[in-house]
Amino acid sequence: DAEAMKRFMAQKDKSEKFMRDNLEKQDDSWRKIQELERTLQKLGTERFEEVKRRIEENDREEKRKVEYQQFLDVVGQHKKLLE
């Protein structure tokens, strides 16, 4: 009976250690998930800002092209008047 009690206690200790280790691993996994969520959020924000910057840059370039074309048109009209 004493031997059975020792086996029971050893198994119980082993089970308790397993449960503590398992809980620690779960906590570590949740921390990693939270860190990955923060990283994803940051990357999403950075991507949004870059897309916004590119759109603004494209708008400026299109505006520059239109203004340049208008300038060429005015120069062309003046050139015709001078000929």
Side-chain angles (χ1 to χ4, degrees), residues 34-35 43 76 80:
Q34 289 172 338
E35 182 60 32
L43 290 170
K80 285 180 184 176

Side-chain angles (χ1 to χ4, degrees), residues 58-72:
N58 286 341
D59 287 348
R60 279 192 297 275
E61 179 62 15
E62 287 303 313
K63 182 179 177 187
R64 186 194 66 77
K65 287 179 184 178
V66 167
E67 288 174 348
Y68 183 68
Q69 187 58 52
Q70 290 172 344
F71 169 76
L72 292 178

Side-chain angles (χ1 to χ4, degrees), residues 33-48:
I33 288 170
Q34 289 172 338
E35 182 60 32
L36 288 171
E37 286 176 340
R38 284 190 291 272
T39 300
L40 279 172
Q41 179 126 19
K42 181 180 177 224
L43 290 170
T45 299
E46 289 172 353
R47 179 181 172 81
F48 173 82

